[in-house]
Amino acid sequence: MATETLTLGKALNTGLRRALENDPKVVIMGEDVGKLGGVFRITDGLQKDFGDQRVIDTPLAESGIIGTAVGLAVRGYRPVCEIQFDGFVYPAYDQIVSQVAKMHYRSRGKLNIPMVIRIPFGGGIGAVEHHSESPEAYFAHTAGLKVVSCANPQDAYVMIQQAIASDDPIVFLEPKRRYWEKGPVDLDAPLAEAYPLHSARVARAGTHATLLAYGPMVRTCLDAATAAAEDGRELEVVDLRTLSPLDLTAAYESVRRTGRAV
């Protein structure tokens, strides 16, 4: 198997590349995603290799990006929209909750909206207003949307491909403070055999207490568990991975073992 050490950002880039290779209906859209390769370079090199009809530099208009993507999705494409920063998503909020989340139900199941909305989220990069926000609660409480967040390079590589392959609209939250952290990635792992997209997972086993986390806080909890182990306390870390639908089975099982949850 081809296992490489990649940053989380490079793992996302590689996953997006695989999705573009595997399905000609996949298109990437967003501000500066093409020639620049994105502010965080997550789409670096993709327009060069796949052309500007599939990796599209859009105007600075989030509502327009999402609205256009809805039209593409209805016509059978699989658009992947990048919201450049978490705090820029609000101009697109009406489109997301009024169109993206409701079209399948409004059409009584006749229409699918297979689109992914990528949002770098959270703090930790020293940026001020609109660049370090956590808007996930808005979307996790919106019926018709699925919301996921990767926490390590392997999950980033697999989950972005799973999200693009899904027939449901998915808000894909990327922990921007973790973009440069490295980890092993199995590039040959068959997508059909990968860990389910909407399932939580125990990231570290323990017995004294359970730490429940997602996205950027998973690494924080793993570091805390490592420090606690030096004092003889074994903390279990559960990576939720998905916020909607929220998979509580792994959380319940963990808390039943440890008796405490944080």
Side-chain angles (χ1 to χ4, degrees):
M1 291 186 179
T3 299
E4 296 186 16
T5 299
L6 302 177
T7 64
L8 190 147
K10 183 61 176 178
L12 286 167
N13 175 275
T14 307
L16 289 167
R17 178 176 293 277
R18 284 287 173 90
L20 286 163
E21 290 171 346
N22 292 335
D23 188 346
K25 291 293 188 180
V26 173
V27 295
I28 295 174
M29 312 163 56
E31 298 161 8
D32 298 317
V33 299
K35 186 176 181 180
L36 181 66
V39 168
F40 296 102
R41 304 299 186 266
I42 305 302
T43 54
D44 188 40
L46 298 182
Q47 188 182 76
K48 172 179 170 290
D49 294 337
F50 294 95
D52 59 9
Q53 297 298 300
R54 296 193 64 198
V55 183
I56 304 162
D57 281 313
T58 66
L60 304 183
E62 286 76 15
S63 180
I65 295 169
I66 301 301
T68 301
V70 170
L72 285 167
V74 167
R75 294 301 297 265
Y77 288 86
R78 293 185 177 272
V80 182
C81 304
E82 178 181 297
I83 302 298
Q84 196 171 74
F85 280 95
D86 34 36
F88 296 174
V89 75
Y90 304 117
Y93 186 76
D94 180 42
Q95 289 281 7
I96 295 171
V97 301
S98 299
Q99 305 296 332
V100 176
K102 293 182 172 60
M103 191 69 74
H104 180 72
Y105 297 93
R106 180 181 295 153
S107 67
R108 295 187 178 184
K110 294 179 181 178
L111 295 175
N112 289 326
I113 305 295
M115 62 183 285
V116 176
I117 302 169
R118 294 180 42 242
I119 306 177
F121 84 117
I125 62 167
V128 293
E129 59 160 0
H130 307 318
H131 298 78
S132 293
E133 300 187 19
S134 294
E136 59 267 31
Y138 294 121
F139 304 116
H141 290 276
T142 299
L145 294 178
K146 292 186 175 179
V147 183
V148 303
S149 182
C150 56
N152 59 67
Q154 178 66 43
D155 268 358
Y157 172 71
V158 173
M159 290 171 71
I160 190 63
Q161 294 181 74
Q162 290 173 320
I164 293 169
S166 172
D167 287 334
D168 297 314
I170 295 179
V171 174
F172 195 94
L173 300 165
E174 301 172 2
K176 67 168 88 79
R177 69 185 295 182
R178 306 299 183 192
Y179 273 148
W180 300 275
E181 294 186 1
K182 296 181 178 180
V185 178
D186 181 1
L187 298 174
D188 290 338
L191 209 60
E193 299 174 13
Y195 200 77
L197 178 62
H198 300 297
S199 296
R201 177 164 51 195
V202 175
R204 177 186 173 119
T207 56
H208 290 99
T210 297
L211 305 184
L212 301 166
Y214 61 89
M217 288 302 293
V218 174
R219 171 54 55 190
T220 302
C221 289
L222 289 170
D223 291 343
T226 299
E230 297 176 2
D231 293 328
R233 296 179 178 88
E234 294 298 328
L235 302 180
E236 183 151 296
V237 179
V238 175
D239 180 359
L240 294 173
R241 299 176 78 249
T242 181
L243 301 179
S244 181
L246 186 59
D247 174 24
L248 290 175
T249 301
Y252 290 156
E253 292 175 351
S254 177
V255 175
R256 288 188 185 108
R257 286 194 298 272
T258 66
R260 298 171 177 84
V262 179

